[in-house]
């Protein structure tokens, strides 16, 4: 079945232009309008009746999204995906409100959730922190009729409609397998995780440790330190390891702050000698991959996740059909310098 995206690509115009032609809105020159109309006819495109009804109604669908702090580049790209989807759905009466706490703090996240509820926002996407008060309140919202999905970090106790994210245990196992190829004789590895409140990082670490333990070679996790996705903390942790463990072989970082690790390695003259594996292809990690300081990046496409967060809640609000699967699993992509 043809989509607006298909029509836009064939006509070499934006989706917004196609939407204007479909709904006979002004702002499109006659030549472009005729071209788009011909493609619509050739593809036998039929607009979604639910979307048409929403577009012609005065009802506003408000979606509230609870993110993690803005200093993490992963969140910045996720927001780009959210904004892209929100722009495409604006003609259908969709309003997207995002909230970001200043720190990884369960109390602050709980306040954001309460604020959404008090404002009458009944469609919520939550990056949940692993905290009993968060879990309890999220389930209360669900029982009260709020359409709530979770993304990136999965918490089994939250009975959300859907989870969007990667299998992080598998992601951690993938990172370990790559690390084993970098250290074929074994070695000492330092691990930096984001926060104890984020299950995605605990899952990655668990998968990483389990995969290494299955090898007969002498792999040793030297230490595990949280950095709250902060570059400065990652820099300090790495310097301490380099000072206290001269035979450190590699570093595995599950979340943000990889630039801090790289800066410490450069400062100590160890860049390229200490192996480095991280998650998420972001501006910092992409540049460090090109420089040969990072060896492998396990990517999960935050832009796509951002789009899915919005479109999933919109589709559910439109049709009231629960997705056939409980999870939208984001594929694991291994990035090396040559693949950029």
């Amino acid at each position: 079945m043809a989509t607006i995206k298909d029509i836009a690509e064939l006509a070499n115009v934006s989706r917004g232009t196609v939407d204007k032609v479909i709904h006979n809105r002004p702002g499109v020159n006659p030549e472009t309008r005729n071209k788009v109309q011909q493609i619509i006819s050739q593809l036998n495109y039929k607009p979604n009746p639910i979307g048409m009804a929403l577009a012609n109604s005065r009802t506003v669908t408000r979606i509230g999204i609870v993110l993690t702090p803005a200093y993490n580049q992963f969140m910045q790209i996720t927001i780009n995906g959210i904004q892209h989807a929100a722009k495409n759905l604006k003609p259908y009466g969709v309003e997207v409100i995002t909230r970001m706490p200043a720190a990884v703090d369960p109390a602050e996240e709980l306040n954001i959730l309460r604020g959404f509820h008090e404002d009458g926002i009944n469609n919520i996407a939550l990056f949940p922190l692993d905290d009993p008060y968060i879990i309890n309140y999220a389930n209360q919202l669900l029982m009260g009729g709020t359409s709530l999905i979770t993304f990136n970090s999965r918490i089994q106790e939250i009975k959300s409609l859907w989870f969007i994210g990667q299998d992080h245990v598998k992601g951690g196992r993938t990172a370990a397998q790559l690390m084993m190829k970098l250290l074929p004789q074994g070695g000492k590895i330092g691990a930096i995780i984001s926060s104890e409140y984020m299950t995605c990082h605990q899952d990655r670490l668990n998968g990483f440790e389990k995969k290494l333990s299955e090898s007969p070679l002498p792999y040793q996790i030297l230490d595990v330190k949280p950095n709250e996705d902060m570059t400065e903390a990652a820099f300090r942790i790495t310097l301490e390891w380099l000072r206290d463990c001269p035979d450190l072989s590699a570093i595995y970082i599950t979340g943000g702050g990889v630039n801090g690790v790289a800066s410490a390695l450069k400062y100590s003259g160890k860049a390229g000698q200490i192996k480095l594996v991280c998650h998420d292809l972001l501006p910092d990690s992409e540049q460090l991959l090109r420089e040969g300081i990072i060896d492998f990046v396990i990517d999960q496409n935050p832009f796509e996740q951002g789009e899915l967060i919005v479109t999933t809640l919109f589709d559910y609000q439109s049709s009231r059909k629960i997705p056939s699967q409980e999870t939208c699993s984001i594929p694991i992509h291994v990035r090396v310098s040559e693949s950029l």
Side-chain angles (χ1 to χ4, degrees), residues 307-321:
E307 287 187 309
L308 283 169
I309 290 165
V310 177
T311 56
T312 297
L313 276 171
F314 172 72
D315 289 344
Y316 179 71
Q317 181 65 27
S318 303
S319 65
R320 284 297 169 184
K321 290 182 180 179

Side-chain angles (χ1 to χ4, degrees), residues 147-167:
S147 303
L148 187 144
I149 65 173
T150 54
F151 63 95
N152 203 276
S153 269
R154 185 166 196 176
I155 297 178
Q156 297 291 345
E157 292 85 355
I158 297 178
K159 308 305 179 184
S160 61
L161 296 174
W162 216 27
F163 170 73
I164 297 173
Q166 205 165 66
D167 182 336

Side-chain angles (χ1 to χ4, degrees), residues 66-71 99-109 112 129:
V66 186
L67 301 158
T68 55
Y71 53 72
R99 294 286 184 269
M100 307 179 79
V104 182
D105 179 12
E108 194 173 357
E109 179 166 278
I112 293 173
L129 299 182

Side-chain angles (χ1 to χ4, degrees), residues 260-277:
V261 177
S263 295
L265 294 176
K266 291 177 182 178
Y267 176 79
S268 304
K270 297 289 186 179
Q273 299 176 36
I274 303 293
K275 303 304 180 183
L276 179 56
V277 175

Side-chain angles (χ1 to χ4, degrees), residues 190-193 223-228 230-243 248 251 261 264:
I192 299 175
I193 65 169
D223 197 4
V224 177
K225 293 281 191 181
N227 75 324
E228 306 294 336
M230 300 292 287
T231 298
E232 297 82 359
F235 178 81
R236 174 181 49 78
I237 292 166
T238 303
L239 281 183
E240 290 174 357
W241 285 341
L242 293 172
R243 179 195 65 203
L248 179 71
I251 294 174
V261 177

Side-chain angles (χ1 to χ4, degrees), residues 4 15 19 23 25 45 47-65 81-82 84-97 121-125 146-149 161-162 164 305-323:
I4 289 179
R15 297 186 200 181
D19 187 79
H23 296 100
R25 295 193 182 100
Y45 171 78
N48 184 332
I50 294 173
M52 290 286 287
L54 285 171
N56 294 326
S57 75
R58 295 186 179 183
T59 302
V60 175
T61 300
R62 293 198 296 168
I63 295 174
I65 303 176
I82 290 169
H84 184 260
K87 181 179 179 181
N88 287 338
L89 292 177
K90 188 176 180 180
Y92 303 108
V94 175
E95 178 186 354
V96 177
I97 303 101
I121 297 174
N122 297 317
N123 304 283
I124 296 176
T146 296
S147 303
L148 187 144
I149 65 173
L161 296 174
W162 216 27
I164 297 173
Q305 287 194 48
E307 287 187 309
L308 283 169
I309 290 165
V310 177
T311 56
T312 297
L313 276 171
F314 172 72
D315 289 344
Y316 179 71
Q317 181 65 27
S318 303
S319 65
R320 284 297 169 184
K321 290 182 180 179
I322 297 175

Side-chain angles (χ1 to χ4, degrees), residues 74 77 166 280 299-306 330-331 333:
F74 179 88
I77 297 177
Q166 205 165 66
D280 302 325
D299 192 27
Q300 58 172 331
N301 200 333
F303 187 91
E304 179 186 5
Q305 287 194 48
I330 303 297
H333 296 290

